[in-house]
Amino acid sequence: MLRTPKVLIIDDEPLMRMSISDALKSEGFSVKETGLGKEGITLFRDYSFDVVITDLRLPDLDGIEVLKACKRYSPDTMVILITAHGSVDTAVEAMKYGAYDYITKPFSMDEMLLMVKRLIRYKDLEEENFLLKEQVEGRYNFSGIIGQSERMKELFENVKTVSHTDSTVLILGESGTGKELVANAIHYNSPRKNEPFVKISCAALPETLLEAELFGYEKGAFTGAVKQKKGRFELANKGTFFLDEIGEISQTIQVKLLRVLQEKKIDRLGGTETLSVDVRIICATQRDLKKEVQKGTFREDLYYRLNVVPVTLPSLRERQGDIMLLANHFLKYFAEQHKKTIKGFSIEAMELLLKYNFPGNVRELENAVERAVVMGKTEEIQPWDLPEEITNMGDCFKVIQNMQNYEHLSKAIKDFERQYITKVLEETKGNKSLAAKLLGVSRKTLWEKCKILEIVKDAG
Ligand SMILES: Nc1ncnc2c1ncn2[C@@H]1O[C@H](COP(=O)(O)OP(=O)(O)OP(=O)(O)O)[C@@H](O)[C@H]1O
Ligand SMILES: [Mg+2]
């Protein structure tokens, strides 16, 4: 939690007030309480609260009036209603006036705590998100590389230091973590920045072609060599040469590369003349090169030549704190590109992004946001605008595959509905608002379905 959350409890039953108050205080919350609606209104007019918990039935006012007043005087405060069993419909009605959630008596203090904590987390996320939007263009952007986590700050420092030198750099990291961006940053912050920056992906070409590309060839060196061609090492002279996917090169090329690194000289294929080159080398790979050396697939001497300064990029799951920073950065970029007015992410969408482990790292996040911007129909990105891997609802359909006997359609549908809703409620950890949104139904419908289908768990 970013600060001490402040809660106001309005309930005329002293015992209830005390129990909630004690539960919240034991978690470090700051709490005020009153038994009257009018006094409650005065309190949230004079002080600011993160959350107001109010009974629906009060001696002087009804909870809906308190809710309306709260939304008027303090729109950022979130309201939870306490309802008796018979008044659930009124509570559902109250959601329309902006209540965040309701809880039905009798409830356990754990339930209440969970609800308030989730709410505070929402508020923190919203605030954090607002700040991130402001900062994304500023100090968390180094040569187009976005990050504010400790790992990234460290990386920025290393990249700055190494940029000023001529050392060979080996960039390591999973796919999509930004290795190419780092290579760019090193070159464009180096004294060689006005000289050529030449790139090659070693995985993209078969061995012979790669060799010809790297070292060039003389006319007639092989069938098809109709004229002389300069190799990329030559083209990169005085500048930087970025060899991407270095882990993919064959043993033959490894030997040749080693020679260039040791002697700073190249021979064009079929040529007689040896050329001197002055090139700064940057390599990248998603492979664990050390392991490749142990396995004998990568030459140890070449490994040490390349691994002068290793720069390792953290995966996105190792820097969770950067997810929303990056997501907002991409949102702004793609909204402009696709000319859409999308202001941000809904809380539910944010929660899903923060929960996901991004095997494809930043690239996957970037693609997900672009898709969401293109698909999005509202001013906020919603859970259903995100890819299925992230919402993790795809396996619900396995229910159908697992069915064993043929049954009447109406029963099968009911069974499916029950399993599907239960699964979504599990996925959303009992968050009924999110579950209803993901299912595309109102909270009231969800509540009714839970009742009809006898889904007890978190049915509210
Ligand atoms: N820190 C970051 N800030 C902003 N954009 C990023 C960052 N990291 C990666 N990206 C973006 O993510 C995409 C993938 O980055 P990049 O191509 O550099 O990854 P990579 O590590 O080279 O991946 P691969 O191993 O698959 O080639 C690019 O569009 C890049 O602009
Ligand atoms: Mg790459």
PDB file of all heavy atoms in Angstrom, residues 8-11 32-47 49 52-54 58 60-61 66 69-70 73:
ATOM      1  N   LEU A   8     -14.292   5.371   6.453  1.00  0.00           N
ATOM      2  CA  LEU A   8     -15.376   5.851   7.312  1.00  0.00           C
ATOM      3  C   LEU A   8     -16.462   4.768   7.380  1.00  0.00           C
ATOM      4  O   LEU A   8     -16.900   4.263   6.345  1.00  0.00           O
ATOM      5  CB  LEU A   8     -15.977   7.146   6.722  1.00  0.00           C
ATOM      6  CG  LEU A   8     -17.258   7.662   7.368  1.00  0.00           C
ATOM      7  CD1 LEU A   8     -17.017   8.086   8.819  1.00  0.00           C
ATOM      8  CD2 LEU A   8     -17.815   8.866   6.567  1.00  0.00           C
ATOM      9  N   ILE A   9     -16.870   4.436   8.605  1.00  0.00           N
ATOM     10  CA  ILE A   9     -17.930   3.435   8.767  1.00  0.00           C
ATOM     11  C   ILE A   9     -19.190   4.126   9.262  1.00  0.00           C
ATOM     12  O   ILE A   9     -19.149   4.842  10.262  1.00  0.00           O
ATOM     13  CB  ILE A   9     -17.525   2.342   9.784  1.00  0.00           C
ATOM     14  CG1 ILE A   9     -16.158   1.748   9.398  1.00  0.00           C
ATOM     15  CG2 ILE A   9     -18.576   1.243   9.866  1.00  0.00           C
ATOM     16  CD1 ILE A   9     -15.543   0.907  10.501  1.00  0.00           C
ATOM     17  N   ILE A  10     -20.300   3.944   8.532  1.00  0.00           N
ATOM     18  CA  ILE A  10     -21.578   4.508   8.979  1.00  0.00           C
ATOM     19  C   ILE A  10     -22.535   3.342   9.220  1.00  0.00           C
ATOM     20  O   ILE A  10     -22.958   2.662   8.270  1.00  0.00           O
ATOM     21  CB  ILE A  10     -22.186   5.465   7.919  1.00  0.00           C
ATOM     22  CG1 ILE A  10     -21.110   6.427   7.390  1.00  0.00           C
ATOM     23  CG2 ILE A  10     -23.373   6.229   8.499  1.00  0.00           C
ATOM     24  CD1 ILE A  10     -21.571   7.326   6.253  1.00  0.00           C
ATOM     25  N   ASP A  11     -22.819   3.080  10.474  1.00  0.00           N
ATOM     26  CA  ASP A  11     -23.721   1.977  10.820  1.00  0.00           C
ATOM     27  C   ASP A  11     -24.276   2.245  12.207  1.00  0.00           C
ATOM     28  O   ASP A  11     -23.543   2.664  13.102  1.00  0.00           O
ATOM     29  CB  ASP A  11     -22.949   0.641  10.796  1.00  0.00           C
ATOM     30  CG  ASP A  11     -23.899  -0.544  10.731  1.00  0.00           C
ATOM     31  OD1 ASP A  11     -24.917  -0.524  11.459  1.00  0.00           O
ATOM     32  OD2 ASP A  11     -23.626  -1.482   9.951  1.00  0.00           O
ATOM     33  N   LYS A  32     -12.668   6.173  10.977  1.00  0.00           N
ATOM     34  CA  LYS A  32     -13.615   7.005  11.730  1.00  0.00           C
ATOM     35  C   LYS A  32     -14.965   6.322  11.632  1.00  0.00           C
ATOM     36  O   LYS A  32     -15.236   5.619  10.663  1.00  0.00           O
ATOM     37  CB  LYS A  32     -13.702   8.410  11.122  1.00  0.00           C
ATOM     38  CG  LYS A  32     -12.587   9.336  11.564  1.00  0.00           C
ATOM     39  CD  LYS A  32     -12.991  10.781  11.275  1.00  0.00           C
ATOM     40  CE  LYS A  32     -11.823  11.742  11.381  1.00  0.00           C
ATOM     41  NZ  LYS A  32     -11.134  11.739  12.667  1.00  0.00           N
ATOM     42  N   GLU A  33     -15.829   6.552  12.625  1.00  0.00           N
ATOM     43  CA  GLU A  33     -17.133   5.882  12.575  1.00  0.00           C
ATOM     44  C   GLU A  33     -18.255   6.758  13.132  1.00  0.00           C
ATOM     45  O   GLU A  33     -18.008   7.667  13.925  1.00  0.00           O
ATOM     46  CB  GLU A  33     -17.067   4.562  13.336  1.00  0.00           C
ATOM     47  CG  GLU A  33     -16.302   4.647  14.644  1.00  0.00           C
ATOM     48  CD  GLU A  33     -16.233   3.297  15.343  1.00  0.00           C
ATOM     49  OE1 GLU A  33     -17.291   2.848  15.813  1.00  0.00           O
ATOM     50  OE2 GLU A  33     -15.148   2.719  15.412  1.00  0.00           O
ATOM     51  N   THR A  34     -19.461   6.479  12.655  1.00  0.00           N
ATOM     52  CA  THR A  34     -20.634   7.171  13.164  1.00  0.00           C
ATOM     53  C   THR A  34     -21.865   6.290  12.961  1.00  0.00           C
ATOM     54  O   THR A  34     -21.860   5.400  12.096  1.00  0.00           O
ATOM     55  CB  THR A  34     -20.847   8.533  12.453  1.00  0.00           C
ATOM     56  OG1 THR A  34     -22.136   9.011  12.791  1.00  0.00           O
ATOM     57  CG2 THR A  34     -20.791   8.402  10.948  1.00  0.00           C
ATOM     58  N   GLY A  35     -22.915   6.563  13.745  1.00  0.00           N
ATOM     59  CA  GLY A  35     -24.130   5.780  13.612  1.00  0.00           C
ATOM     60  C   GLY A  35     -25.188   6.495  12.787  1.00  0.00           C
ATOM     61  O   GLY A  35     -26.248   5.929  12.490  1.00  0.00           O
ATOM     62  N   LEU A  36     -24.898   7.738  12.377  1.00  0.00           N
ATOM     63  CA  LEU A  36     -25.914   8.518  11.664  1.00  0.00           C
ATOM     64  C   LEU A  36     -25.467   8.921  10.260  1.00  0.00           C
ATOM     65  O   LEU A  36     -24.308   9.297  10.056  1.00  0.00           O
ATOM     66  CB  LEU A  36     -26.230   9.793  12.460  1.00  0.00           C
ATOM     67  CG  LEU A  36     -26.947   9.566  13.802  1.00  0.00           C
ATOM     68  CD1 LEU A  36     -27.001  10.860  14.586  1.00  0.00           C
ATOM     69  CD2 LEU A  36     -28.357   9.001  13.577  1.00  0.00           C
ATOM     70  N   GLY A  37     -26.421   8.861   9.327  1.00  0.00           N
ATOM     71  CA  GLY A  37     -26.136   9.217   7.947  1.00  0.00           C
ATOM     72  C   GLY A  37     -25.691  10.667   7.801  1.00  0.00           C
ATOM     73  O   GLY A  37     -24.718  10.969   7.111  1.00  0.00           O
ATOM     74  N   LYS A  38     -26.420  11.571   8.498  1.00  0.00           N
ATOM     75  CA  LYS A  38     -26.120  13.000   8.334  1.00  0.00           C
ATOM     76  C   LYS A  38     -24.716  13.322   8.838  1.00  0.00           C
ATOM     77  O   LYS A  38     -23.980  14.097   8.229  1.00  0.00           O
ATOM     78  CB  LYS A  38     -27.150  13.847   9.081  1.00  0.00           C
ATOM     79  CG  LYS A  38     -28.433  13.956   8.281  1.00  0.00           C
ATOM     80  CD  LYS A  38     -29.385  14.959   8.889  1.00  0.00           C
ATOM     81  CE  LYS A  38     -30.675  14.969   8.080  1.00  0.00           C
ATOM     82  NZ  LYS A  38     -31.866  15.065   8.890  1.00  0.00           N
ATOM     83  N   GLU A  39     -24.381  12.725   9.970  1.00  0.00           N
ATOM     84  CA  GLU A  39     -23.048  12.969  10.520  1.00  0.00           C
ATOM     85  C   GLU A  39     -21.977  12.412   9.572  1.00  0.00           C
ATOM     86  O   GLU A  39     -20.919  13.005   9.382  1.00  0.00           O
ATOM     87  CB  GLU A  39     -22.933  12.305  11.890  1.00  0.00           C
ATOM     88  CG  GLU A  39     -21.783  12.872  12.693  1.00  0.00           C
ATOM     89  CD  GLU A  39     -21.673  12.194  14.050  1.00  0.00           C
ATOM     90  OE1 GLU A  39     -22.725  11.927  14.670  1.00  0.00           O
ATOM     91  OE2 GLU A  39     -20.541  11.909  14.461  1.00  0.00           O
ATOM     92  N   GLY A  40     -22.310  11.272   8.955  1.00  0.00           N
ATOM     93  CA  GLY A  40     -21.405  10.669   7.972  1.00  0.00           C
ATOM     94  C   GLY A  40     -21.124  11.653   6.840  1.00  0.00           C
ATOM     95  O   GLY A  40     -19.977  11.871   6.447  1.00  0.00           O
ATOM     96  N   ILE A  41     -22.210  12.276   6.337  1.00  0.00           N
ATOM     97  CA  ILE A  41     -22.057  13.230   5.225  1.00  0.00           C
ATOM     98  C   ILE A  41     -21.156  14.393   5.650  1.00  0.00           C
ATOM     99  O   ILE A  41     -20.254  14.798   4.899  1.00  0.00           O
ATOM    100  CB  ILE A  41     -23.441  13.724   4.743  1.00  0.00           C
ATOM    101  CG1 ILE A  41     -24.211  12.533   4.124  1.00  0.00           C
ATOM    102  CG2 ILE A  41     -23.295  14.848   3.722  1.00  0.00           C
ATOM    103  CD1 ILE A  41     -25.635  12.821   3.714  1.00  0.00           C
ATOM    104  N   THR A  42     -21.385  14.911   6.863  1.00  0.00           N
ATOM    105  CA  THR A  42     -20.530  16.005   7.345  1.00  0.00           C
ATOM    106  C   THR A  42     -19.076  15.546   7.394  1.00  0.00           C
ATOM    107  O   THR A  42     -18.170  16.281   6.993  1.00  0.00           O
ATOM    108  CB  THR A  42     -20.936  16.430   8.787  1.00  0.00           C
ATOM    109  OG1 THR A  42     -22.351  16.485   8.832  1.00  0.00           O
ATOM    110  CG2 THR A  42     -20.324  17.747   9.167  1.00  0.00           C
ATOM    111  N   LEU A  43     -18.878  14.317   7.849  1.00  0.00           N
ATOM    112  CA  LEU A  43     -17.500  13.819   7.970  1.00  0.00           C
ATOM    113  C   LEU A  43     -16.806  13.734   6.617  1.00  0.00           C
ATOM    114  O   LEU A  43     -15.677  14.175   6.464  1.00  0.00           O
ATOM    115  CB  LEU A  43     -17.489  12.446   8.651  1.00  0.00           C
ATOM    116  CG  LEU A  43     -17.582  12.465  10.177  1.00  0.00           C
ATOM    117  CD1 LEU A  43     -17.820  11.051  10.718  1.00  0.00           C
ATOM    118  CD2 LEU A  43     -16.305  13.036  10.789  1.00  0.00           C
ATOM    119  N   PHE A  44     -17.497  13.164   5.609  1.00  0.00           N
ATOM    120  CA  PHE A  44     -16.751  13.071   4.344  1.00  0.00           C
ATOM    121  C   PHE A  44     -16.729  14.387   3.575  1.00  0.00           C
ATOM    122  O   PHE A  44     -16.039  14.521   2.583  1.00  0.00           O
ATOM    123  CB  PHE A  44     -17.110  11.849   3.485  1.00  0.00           C
ATOM    124  CG  PHE A  44     -18.527  11.674   3.053  1.00  0.00           C
ATOM    125  CD1 PHE A  44     -19.135  12.552   2.176  1.00  0.00           C
ATOM    126  CD2 PHE A  44     -19.243  10.568   3.501  1.00  0.00           C
ATOM    127  CE1 PHE A  44     -20.425  12.348   1.765  1.00  0.00           C
ATOM    128  CE2 PHE A  44     -20.537  10.361   3.091  1.00  0.00           C
ATOM    129  CZ  PHE A  44     -21.154  11.258   2.228  1.00  0.00           C
ATOM    130  N   ARG A  45     -17.505  15.370   4.045  1.00  0.00           N
ATOM    131  CA  ARG A  45     -17.357  16.706   3.457  1.00  0.00           C
ATOM    132  C   ARG A  45     -16.110  17.393   4.031  1.00  0.00           C
ATOM    133  O   ARG A  45     -15.430  18.142   3.357  1.00  0.00           O
ATOM    134  CB  ARG A  45     -18.594  17.541   3.764  1.00  0.00           C
ATOM    135  CG  ARG A  45     -19.303  17.902   2.481  1.00  0.00           C
ATOM    136  CD  ARG A  45     -20.511  18.724   2.631  1.00  0.00           C
ATOM    137  NE  ARG A  45     -20.820  19.213   3.956  1.00  0.00           N
ATOM    138  CZ  ARG A  45     -22.025  19.640   4.313  1.00  0.00           C
ATOM    139  NH1 ARG A  45     -23.004  19.622   3.436  1.00  0.00           N
ATOM    140  NH2 ARG A  45     -22.257  20.092   5.508  1.00  0.00           N
ATOM    141  N   ASP A  46     -15.839  17.114   5.302  1.00  0.00           N
ATOM    142  CA  ASP A  46     -14.733  17.795   5.973  1.00  0.00           C
ATOM    143  C   ASP A  46     -13.391  17.054   5.883  1.00  0.00           C
ATOM    144  O   ASP A  46     -12.338  17.662   5.941  1.00  0.00           O
ATOM    145  CB  ASP A  46     -15.071  18.016   7.457  1.00  0.00           C
ATOM    146  CG  ASP A  46     -16.262  18.946   7.606  1.00  0.00           C
ATOM    147  OD1 ASP A  46     -16.613  19.591   6.587  1.00  0.00           O
ATOM    148  OD2 ASP A  46     -16.851  19.008   8.702  1.00  0.00           O
ATOM    149  N   TYR A  47     -13.455  15.748   5.799  1.00  0.00           N
ATOM    150  CA  TYR A  47     -12.215  14.967   5.704  1.00  0.00           C
ATOM    151  C   TYR A  47     -12.244  14.198   4.405  1.00  0.00           C
ATOM    152  O   TYR A  47     -13.285  14.070   3.793  1.00  0.00           O
ATOM    153  CB  TYR A  47     -12.123  13.939   6.838  1.00  0.00           C
ATOM    154  CG  TYR A  47     -12.135  14.532   8.212  1.00  0.00           C
ATOM    155  CD1 TYR A  47     -13.335  14.720   8.891  1.00  0.00           C
ATOM    156  CD2 TYR A  47     -10.947  14.880   8.844  1.00  0.00           C
ATOM    157  CE1 TYR A  47     -13.352  15.259  10.162  1.00  0.00           C
ATOM    158  CE2 TYR A  47     -10.958  15.419  10.119  1.00  0.00           C
ATOM    159  CZ  TYR A  47     -12.164  15.612  10.776  1.00  0.00           C
ATOM    160  OH  TYR A  47     -12.171  16.131  12.030  1.00  0.00           O
ATOM    161  N   PHE A  49     -11.756  10.542   2.587  1.00  0.00           N
ATOM    162  CA  PHE A  49     -11.681   9.101   2.858  1.00  0.00           C
ATOM    163  C   PHE A  49     -11.448   8.354   1.559  1.00  0.00           C
ATOM    164  O   PHE A  49     -11.896   8.793   0.495  1.00  0.00           O
ATOM    165  CB  PHE A  49     -13.001   8.611   3.471  1.00  0.00           C
ATOM    166  CG  PHE A  49     -13.238   9.151   4.850  1.00  0.00           C
ATOM    167  CD1 PHE A  49     -14.067  10.254   5.036  1.00  0.00           C
ATOM    168  CD2 PHE A  49     -12.638   8.576   5.958  1.00  0.00           C
ATOM    169  CE1 PHE A  49     -14.279  10.773   6.294  1.00  0.00           C
ATOM    170  CE2 PHE A  49     -12.839   9.092   7.227  1.00  0.00           C
ATOM    171  CZ  PHE A  49     -13.671  10.197   7.405  1.00  0.00           C
ATOM    172  N   VAL A  52     -15.868   4.572   2.016  1.00  0.00           N
ATOM    173  CA  VAL A  52     -16.957   4.737   2.982  1.00  0.00           C
ATOM    174  C   VAL A  52     -17.751   3.438   2.992  1.00  0.00           C
ATOM    175  O   VAL A  52     -18.158   2.936   1.938  1.00  0.00           O
ATOM    176  CB  VAL A  52     -17.879   5.921   2.590  1.00  0.00           C
ATOM    177  CG1 VAL A  52     -19.140   5.921   3.449  1.00  0.00           C
ATOM    178  CG2 VAL A  52     -17.141   7.240   2.733  1.00  0.00           C
ATOM    179  N   ILE A  53     -17.922   2.869   4.188  1.00  0.00           N
ATOM    180  CA  ILE A  53     -18.753   1.668   4.312  1.00  0.00           C
ATOM    181  C   ILE A  53     -20.032   2.119   5.016  1.00  0.00           C
ATOM    182  O   ILE A  53     -19.970   2.624   6.133  1.00  0.00           O
ATOM    183  CB  ILE A  53     -18.056   0.598   5.177  1.00  0.00           C
ATOM    184  CG1 ILE A  53     -16.692   0.244   4.561  1.00  0.00           C
ATOM    185  CG2 ILE A  53     -18.925  -0.649   5.315  1.00  0.00           C
ATOM    186  CD1 ILE A  53     -15.821  -0.618   5.470  1.00  0.00           C
ATOM    187  N   THR A  54     -21.171   1.988   4.341  1.00  0.00           N
ATOM    188  CA  THR A  54     -22.394   2.447   4.986  1.00  0.00           C
ATOM    189  C   THR A  54     -23.487   1.381   4.958  1.00  0.00           C
ATOM    190  O   THR A  54     -23.630   0.632   3.981  1.00  0.00           O
ATOM    191  CB  THR A  54     -22.918   3.760   4.345  1.00  0.00           C
ATOM    192  OG1 THR A  54     -24.138   4.110   4.983  1.00  0.00           O
ATOM    193  CG2 THR A  54     -23.154   3.631   2.863  1.00  0.00           C
ATOM    194  N   LEU A  58     -30.375   3.286   7.758  1.00  0.00           N
ATOM    195  CA  LEU A  58     -29.876   4.071   8.893  1.00  0.00           C
ATOM    196  C   LEU A  58     -31.063   4.759   9.560  1.00  0.00           C
ATOM    197  O   LEU A  58     -32.093   4.968   8.915  1.00  0.00           O
ATOM    198  CB  LEU A  58     -28.873   5.129   8.392  1.00  0.00           C
ATOM    199  CG  LEU A  58     -27.563   4.560   7.816  1.00  0.00           C
ATOM    200  CD1 LEU A  58     -26.844   5.610   6.983  1.00  0.00           C
ATOM    201  CD2 LEU A  58     -26.655   4.058   8.925  1.00  0.00           C
ATOM    202  N   ASP A  60     -31.644   7.871  10.355  1.00  0.00           N
ATOM    203  CA  ASP A  60     -32.079   9.184   9.838  1.00  0.00           C
ATOM    204  C   ASP A  60     -32.165   9.251   8.313  1.00  0.00           C
ATOM    205  O   ASP A  60     -33.012   9.937   7.757  1.00  0.00           O
ATOM    206  CB  ASP A  60     -31.152  10.281  10.384  1.00  0.00           C
ATOM    207  CG  ASP A  60     -29.685  10.038  10.051  1.00  0.00           C
ATOM    208  OD1 ASP A  60     -29.322   8.876   9.742  1.00  0.00           O
ATOM    209  OD2 ASP A  60     -28.902  10.991  10.075  1.00  0.00           O
ATOM    210  N   LEU A  61     -31.307   8.562   7.612  1.00  0.00           N
ATOM    211  CA  LEU A  61     -31.306   8.630   6.143  1.00  0.00           C
ATOM    212  C   LEU A  61     -31.213   7.215   5.603  1.00  0.00           C
ATOM    213  O   LEU A  61     -30.852   6.303   6.340  1.00  0.00           O
ATOM    214  CB  LEU A  61     -30.041   9.355   5.662  1.00  0.00           C
ATOM    215  CG  LEU A  61     -29.927  10.849   5.889  1.00  0.00           C
ATOM    216  CD1 LEU A  61     -28.543  11.305   5.427  1.00  0.00           C
ATOM    217  CD2 LEU A  61     -30.993  11.585   5.081  1.00  0.00           C
ATOM    218  N   VAL A  66     -26.926   8.618   1.345  1.00  0.00           N
ATOM    219  CA  VAL A  66     -25.537   8.818   1.773  1.00  0.00           C
ATOM    220  C   VAL A  66     -24.613   8.619   0.569  1.00  0.00           C
ATOM    221  O   VAL A  66     -23.695   9.402   0.320  1.00  0.00           O
ATOM    222  CB  VAL A  66     -25.166   7.828   2.902  1.00  0.00           C
ATOM    223  CG1 VAL A  66     -23.695   7.954   3.274  1.00  0.00           C
ATOM    224  CG2 VAL A  66     -26.041   8.057   4.121  1.00  0.00           C
ATOM    225  N   ALA A  69     -24.770  11.573  -1.817  1.00  0.00           N
ATOM    226  CA  ALA A  69     -24.056  12.726  -1.260  1.00  0.00           C
ATOM    227  C   ALA A  69     -22.553  12.520  -1.381  1.00  0.00           C
ATOM    228  O   ALA A  69     -21.801  13.440  -1.721  1.00  0.00           O
ATOM    229  CB  ALA A  69     -24.445  12.915   0.201  1.00  0.00           C
ATOM    230  N   CYS A  70     -22.136  11.307  -1.143  1.00  0.00           N
ATOM    231  CA  CYS A  70     -20.703  11.009  -1.199  1.00  0.00           C
ATOM    232  C   CYS A  70     -20.174  11.219  -2.617  1.00  0.00           C
ATOM    233  O   CYS A  70     -19.123  11.811  -2.827  1.00  0.00           O
ATOM    234  CB  CYS A  70     -20.462   9.580  -0.732  1.00  0.00           C
ATOM    235  SG  CYS A  70     -18.736   9.179  -0.628  1.00  0.00           S
ATOM    236  N   TYR A  73     -19.973  15.084  -3.110  1.00  0.00           N
ATOM    237  CA  TYR A  73     -18.939  15.840  -2.388  1.00  0.00           C
ATOM    238  C   TYR A  73     -17.538  15.268  -2.561  1.00  0.00           C
ATOM    239  O   TYR A  73     -16.558  15.983  -2.441  1.00  0.00           O
ATOM    240  CB  TYR A  73     -19.263  15.885  -0.884  1.00  0.00           C
ATOM    241  CG  TYR A  73     -20.525  16.631  -0.570  1.00  0.00           C
ATOM    242  CD1 TYR A  73     -21.572  16.023   0.106  1.00  0.00           C
ATOM    243  CD2 TYR A  73     -20.671  17.966  -0.972  1.00  0.00           C
ATOM    244  CE1 TYR A  73     -22.748  16.696   0.387  1.00  0.00           C
ATOM    245  CE2 TYR A  73     -21.840  18.653  -0.695  1.00  0.00           C
ATOM    246  CZ  TYR A  73     -22.878  18.024  -0.015  1.00  0.00           C
ATOM    247  OH  TYR A  73     -24.025  18.702   0.249  1.00  0.00           O
TER     248      TYR A  73
END
